[in-house]
């Protein structure tokens, strides 16, 4: 499984931007600053305040910040729950957020949900907005993790197909080449 810190940084940057746009910049700025400084208790406090503000935009940004805080502290179930709340409150769907949700679900052993999140994120890459915001390395990571999700569910046929497509797209990835060879024995 690959974990992407770059995606986490992008989400944190979007939390800052969201705070500037929605007018709750103080709690958001303080939360982001605490998150960047590794003060996760303070980040949690600030983002909880924002999440409980009553306004959907603010709540969405607060929950997204909480998701990042929990992700950084490896509370993957908490992060997943917070990201889901962010989406419920209208946070913009993004490839990065779905990738992080997929990673969190993988970390908790929920591979069916992880696969859904990863595929939702990959589907966004086919939109003009998703193409503009997505780092090619992130797409590669998501496709790699997609293979792992199929494997963990013993869905050998889909795992083989996805691994073969992955190796064709990324022929220099030796780890997946070995994985594809292994899957051929299944």
């Amino acid at each position: 499984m690959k974990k992407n810190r770059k995606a986490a940084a992008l989400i944190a940057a979007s939390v800052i931007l969201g705070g500037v746009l929605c007018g709750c910049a103080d709690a958001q700025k303080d939360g982001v600053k605490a998150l960047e400084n590794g003060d996760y208790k303070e980040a949690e406090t600030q983002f909880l305040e924002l999440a409980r503000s009553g306004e959907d935009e603010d709540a969405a940004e607060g929950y997204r910040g909480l998701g990042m805080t929990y992700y950084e502290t490896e509370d993957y179930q908490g992060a997943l729950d917070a990201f889901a709340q962010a989406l419920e409150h209208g946070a913009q769907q993004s490839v990065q957020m779905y990738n992080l949700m997929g990673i969190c679900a993988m970390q908790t052993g929920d591979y069916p949900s992880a696969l859904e999140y990863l595929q939702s994120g990959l589907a966004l890459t086919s939109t003009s907005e998703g193409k503009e915001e997505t780092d090619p390395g992130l797409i590669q990571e998501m496709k790699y993790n997609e293979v792992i999700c199929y494997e963990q569910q013993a869905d050998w046929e889909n795992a083989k197909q996805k691994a073969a497509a992955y190796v064709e797209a990324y022929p220099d990835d030796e780890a997946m080449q070995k994985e594809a060879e292994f899957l051929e024995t299944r």
Side-chain angles (χ1 to χ4, degrees):
M1 171 181 1
K2 293 186 177 182
K3 287 176 56 179
N4 188 331
R5 294 288 172 192
K6 192 174 193 178
L10 288 171
I11 294 261
S14 69
V15 169
I16 294 170
L17 178 61
V20 172
L21 296 176
C22 74
C24 288
D26 288 343
Q28 208 153 8
K29 283 182 188 177
D30 292 345
V32 170
K33 185 175 181 174
L35 186 59
E36 289 172 347
N37 291 332
D39 185 353
Y40 301 116
K41 280 289 189 201
E42 180 61 22
E44 180 181 30
T45 299
Q46 294 299 323
F47 290 130
L48 273 171
E49 178 184 323
L50 190 60
R52 294 177 178 155
S53 69
E55 298 292 324
D56 270 349
E57 282 183 49
D58 298 341
E61 295 307 317
Y63 283 116
R64 186 165 30 187
L66 281 170
M68 289 307 310
T69 301
Y70 298 145
Y71 180 85
E72 290 296 323
T73 61
E74 299 181 0
D75 174 0
Y76 297 112
Q77 187 60 56
L80 191 54
D81 294 343
F83 287 136
Q85 284 292 317
L87 290 172
E88 279 187 35
H89 286 280
Q92 181 180 356
Q93 295 181 25
S94 70
V95 175
Q96 293 85 357
M97 186 180 293
Y98 280 119
N99 180 54
L100 291 172
M101 292 175 80
I103 291 169
C104 290
M106 289 174 77
Q107 290 288 345
T108 65
D110 184 356
Y111 292 97
S113 294
L115 185 59
E116 285 182 36
Y117 295 131
L118 293 167
Q119 290 176 337
S120 294
L122 288 168
L124 287 177
T125 66
S126 65
T127 67
S128 61
E129 188 175 295
K131 284 180 186 173
E132 292 173 11
E133 69 177 36
T134 307
D135 170 32
L138 180 62
I139 294 170
Q140 181 178 354
E141 173 188 331
M142 292 174 78
K143 289 181 177 183
Y144 183 98
N145 285 339
E146 186 179 33
V147 173
I148 301 305
C149 287
Y150 279 121
E151 263 188 329
Q152 290 296 319
Q153 297 177 78
D155 184 344
W156 307 118
E157 196 55 42
N158 279 318
K160 282 182 209 179
Q161 290 173 4
K162 292 295 182 175
Y166 180 96
V167 168
E168 187 175 318
Y170 309 103
D172 295 335
D173 189 329
E174 293 177 16
M176 187 55 76
Q177 286 175 358
K178 290 178 184 176
E179 199 65 32
E181 288 173 19
F182 164 75
L183 287 168
E184 287 302 318
T185 66
R186 293 286 183 210

